[in-house]
């Protein structure tokens, strides 16, 4: 643990040399770099960025600050500027280290609960880093694709299988690509459940998806693939797996995009089945109906329904 904390402190000091406000208990919401590429405030950024990586990172920092201001505003915890600054520091340092994706809006929603629950900032960073190793592909967006697109495709297939009537209705509304579910999958239902229920839901989901190779997967993905079971496992080994993952192993279901989160979205749609079928005349109506559930869903009930949908989906695909 001490080694991890020391590593984080080193990275933080490196970032602080470039942007002095990092680690000060404050954060920025205005651009640090002007259109001419020069620092807007020499007291914060002392010199013109030395290379493109530094420039792109500095251009991100005020956007992270703006997102921090909007994060969980109703919670007393974030009435403190120092707590907001802690969230900003963790996200800013993560963005500096992730050369591939950097920072994308929505990461603040994933990081916020960790900042609240974990007092030590370095420990918080490492928990967020591991959470992002699990979820970072959700945030990989290009001009032609978005991170959760494959999961949305799987969701479409699930709904077509378990509730063809609702699926065809959504198709008629031009909602067959399920883009209205983008946010649910990207930030794991942070807006659909209350803060407390979100934490409960994440713990429940990750427990149900647990497998003995999960830590190796985040530390060394190639080694984890090598060690993954290729044949049926016995009952003793199966007991080490979470309920959702155990079902996949028993049935030989291996689609990586069939995460529990996708079945959770399906369960949310099923709770609003009647309203969508009778009231929705377009995709905007679907968005509004789903928007009405903000912070009002029951996490335990949603997970129970998701497992039922998983079972139904596997049974019907087998018959097909």
């Amino acid at each position: 643990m001490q080694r991890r904390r020391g590593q984080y402190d080193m990275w933080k000091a490196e970032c602080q040399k470039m942007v002095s406000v990092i680690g000060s208990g404050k954060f920025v919401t205005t651009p640090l770099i002007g259109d001419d590429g020069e620092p807007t405030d020499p007291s914060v950024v002392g010199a013109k960025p030395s290379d493109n990586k530094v420039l792109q990172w500095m251009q991100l920092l005020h956007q992270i600050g703006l997102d921090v201001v909007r994060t969980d505003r109703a919670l007393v915890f974030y009435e403190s500027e120092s707590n907001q600054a802690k969230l900003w520091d963790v996200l800013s340092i993560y963005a500096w280290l992730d050369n591939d994706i950097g920072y994308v809006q929505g990461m603040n929603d994933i990081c916020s609960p960790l900042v609240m629950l974990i007092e030590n900032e370095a420990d918080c960073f490492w928990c967020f880093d591991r959470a992002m190793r699990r979820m970072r592909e959700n945030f990989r967006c290009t001009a032609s694709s978005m991170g959760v697109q494959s999961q949305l495709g799987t969701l479409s297939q699930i709904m077509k299988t378990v509730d063809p009537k609702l699926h065809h209705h959504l198709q008629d509304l031009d909602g067959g690509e399920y883009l209205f579910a983008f946010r649910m999958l990207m930030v794991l239902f942070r807006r659909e459940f209350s803060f407390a229920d979100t934490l409960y839901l994440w713990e429940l989901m990750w427990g149900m998806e647990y497998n003995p190779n999960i830590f190796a997967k985040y530390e060394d993905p190639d080694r984890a693939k090598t060690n993954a079971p290729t044949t049926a496992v016995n009952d003793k080994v199966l007991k080490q797996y979470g309920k959702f993952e155990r079902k996949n192993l028993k049935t030989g279901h291996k689609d990586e995009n069939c995460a529990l989160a996708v079945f959770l979205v399906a369960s949310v749609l099923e709770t609003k089945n009647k309203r969508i079928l009778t009231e929705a005349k377009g995709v905007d109506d679907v968005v509004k109906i789903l928007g009405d559930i903000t912070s009002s869903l029951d996490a335990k009930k949603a997970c129970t329904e998701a497992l039922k949908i998983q079972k139904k989906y596997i049974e019907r695909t087998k018959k097909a």
Side-chain angles (χ1 to χ4, degrees), residues 1-52:
M1 181 180 289
Q2 289 303 320
R3 184 177 65 84
R4 294 284 191 184
R5 288 178 177 178
Q7 180 71 73
Y8 176 76
D9 290 341
M10 185 182 74
W11 288 329
K12 187 173 181 179
E14 180 185 0
C15 292
Q16 196 171 31
K17 287 179 182 177
M18 294 182 285
V19 178
S20 62
V21 73
I22 286 177
S24 68
K26 298 183 181 299
F27 62 102
V28 299
T29 56
T30 56
L32 295 178
I33 304 297
D35 294 336
D36 58 359
E38 296 290 338
T40 56
D41 186 348
S43 68
V44 176
V45 179
K48 185 176 180 178
S50 57
D51 58 46
N52 199 46

Side-chain angles (χ1 to χ4, degrees), residues 296-315:
S296 64
L297 287 177
D298 182 285
K300 188 173 183 179
K301 184 177 179 181
C303 272
T304 300
E305 291 304 311
L307 291 174
K308 290 179 181 178
I309 292 172
Q310 179 205 23
K311 182 180 179 182
K312 184 188 292 187
Y313 174 67
I314 291 174
E315 288 174 351

Side-chain angles (χ1 to χ4, degrees), residues 130-144:
R130 292 311 186 266
M132 287 307 301
R133 291 190 188 197
R134 183 188 185 97
M135 300 171 58
R136 71 194 298 273
E137 291 306 311
N138 288 4
F139 296 93
R140 187 186 296 280
C141 297
T142 66
S144 59

